[in-house]
Amino acid sequence: MASTLFNASCSFPSIKVIDCKSYVGLRSNVSQVRVASLPVATSQRCSLVVRASNGHAKKLGRSDAECEAAVAAGDVPEAPPVPPKPAAPAGTPVIQPLNLNRRPRRNRASPTVRAAFQETDISPANFVYPLFIHEGEEDTPIGAMPGCYRLGWRHGLLQEVAKARAVGVNSIVLFPKVPEALKNPTGDEAYNDNGLVPRTIRLLKDKYPDLIIYTDVALDPYSSDGHDGIVREDGVIMNDETVHQLCKQAVSQARAGADVVSPSDMMDGRVGAIRAALDAEGFQNVSIMSYTAKYASSFYGPFREALDSNPRFGDKKTYQMNPANYREALIEAREDEAEGADILLVKPGLPYLDIIRLLRDKSPLPIAAYQVSGEYSMIKAGGVLKMIDEEKVMMESLMCLRRAGADIILTYFALQAATYLCNQKR
């Protein structure tokens, strides 16, 4: 059996026999490297001998030269015949083909071709998983959001996060169900360092240090009025006084270990004020995801049931955006950029694809989209009623948000969609 001898000078303290067969997937003609195990000083020279065996080479028949000579002489090997042209159904008209220079369907002809030219992709890394938490020990189903629960912060939450991480979702955002007894007109519980959200952050970071935790910065879960800000006696939402409270809330969350604070309140100037407050407390590395274009939408109903945070009176139209407005989103985006936002978010998601694309085209910052509770519940309801294929519509809706320009998607489908994607790869 032929072999090749390779000599090289080297410096080794001790060399041992290495069997290449122990390395799964390693293809090589080198069957074994044998070197005497000799303890030598690192400065001492030695000789490394590698013997490469070609024992795996097998002669299958004629040589390459013989094959080529046979073909040149007209002795061409047989191959399958050209397949017949598929027959059209009876009654199909016989026509002259259209004289088209370009037929875009050629690039959609097979799964392999479609996959090669797919412009948008989606993965579990694109998902942020919204999770509802409460003080109780049991997980409480949310009637308007099938498959979603108010999770016990000490047990159910940890289990849900573990399941999400197992399929590649390592980012979550927390929404608390606050006891009524702790709510007041100024939402002071929002910045209690031992409140539900800070305690939960500390627990999660202790268990999963690399988990990325987003938090919601707004007063509505803590307000006895159910609004995102402090309400004056005439019903006006007080802007600057609310921002003062939001700054304390953001700092409290950062102190507990939050990675990204997310003001969803839509008060003017809150991004800059929060950035200044975080920096003043030494939290320069905590990011801000601003709810930049948050519309006064009717798609939020199930969420408000989940947190029991419906406004006690009126609506939120004096601070959330008019669904009819498009250019106004640019005003909000420019202000948030100038004030130091790290991520711009559009909410809701699917009904506002044009706004996502607008911000994607006009801003260099990452864009987030929130597929809100109403979007989620409609797909779930359609699936239960067998009116749609829930799984396919779920994935299409998420892909559309990505295609429009969203870098990340806050979605209650995060666990289900990530599980689907993982199964597709197997």
Side-chain angles (χ1 to χ4, degrees), residues 255-277:
R255 187 179 295 122
D259 299 284
V260 186
V261 296
S262 311
S264 63
D265 56 288
M266 291 299 289
M267 298 297 120
D268 295 336
R270 90 276 203 208
V271 172
I274 290 172
R275 182 74 272 162

Side-chain angles (χ1 to χ4, degrees), residues 111-313:
T112 299
V113 171
R114 291 193 294 272
F117 301 133
Q118 182 168 312
E119 300 173 24
T120 305
D121 59 12
I122 192 166
S123 79
N126 299 124
F127 301 146
V128 178
Y129 194 9
L131 295 172
F132 301 108
I133 55 175
H134 69 153
E135 295 284 6
E137 296 184 356
E138 300 296 326
D139 299 338
T140 306
I142 299 168
M145 299 180 68
C148 291
Y149 298 81
R150 294 183 191 131
L151 299 167
W153 71 279
R154 285 172 292 186
H155 304 295
L157 174 65
L158 294 179
Q159 294 168 4
E160 193 72 5
V161 170
K163 289 189 286 186
R165 285 165 60 89
V167 290
V169 178
N170 200 41
S171 298
I172 65 163
V173 56
L174 297 171
F175 293 103
K177 164 65 171 67
V178 177
E180 287 296 319
L182 296 177
K183 297 181 180 182
N184 68 7
T186 52
D188 297 337
E189 180 65 16
Y191 51 87
N192 176 3
D193 284 345
N194 204 36
L196 177 57
V197 170
R199 270 185 279 126
T200 301
I201 295 170
R202 296 198 300 268
L203 178 68
L204 287 169
K205 283 295 185 179
D206 181 68
K207 180 73 172 177
Y208 306 114
D210 64 332
L211 179 70
I212 302 302
I213 301 177
Y214 292 71
T215 56
D216 181 49
V217 179
L219 297 186
D220 51 327
Y222 309 91
S223 169
S224 52
D225 295 311
H227 276 281
D228 291 45
I230 300 172
V231 184
R232 207 167 60 188
E233 65 178 358
D234 60 355
V236 170
I237 309 301
M238 304 177 72
N239 190 94
D240 297 10
E241 293 81 358
T242 296
V243 170
H244 178 78
Q245 298 289 79
L246 298 177
C247 289
K248 291 192 285 185
Q249 181 183 14
V251 169
S252 175
Q253 294 170 349
R255 187 179 295 122
D259 299 284
V260 186
V261 296
S262 311
S264 63
D265 56 288
M266 291 299 289
M267 298 297 120
D268 295 336
R270 90 276 203 208
V271 172
I274 290 172
R275 182 74 272 162
L278 290 172
D279 291 353
E281 294 293 327
F283 299 116
Q284 290 87 351
N285 292 327
V286 173
S287 299
I288 297 175
M289 178 175 71
S290 173
Y291 283 56
T292 295
K294 181 179 180 180
Y295 285 83
S297 172
S298 298
F299 283 89
Y300 303 149
F303 176 95
R304 290 173 182 167
E305 177 189 318
L307 296 187
D308 190 21
S309 61
N310 276 302
R312 299 294 186 265
F313 62 89

Side-chain angles (χ1 to χ4, degrees), residues 398-416:
L398 294 169
M399 185 66 80
C400 289
L401 292 167
R402 288 277 293 145
R403 188 196 65 228
D407 297 289
I408 59 172
I409 303 168
L410 283 68
T411 174
Y412 304 99
F413 283 120
L415 177 58
Q416 184 179 347

Side-chain angles (χ1 to χ4, degrees), residues 75-91:
D75 182 12
V76 180
E78 290 188 5
V82 176
K85 184 177 180 180

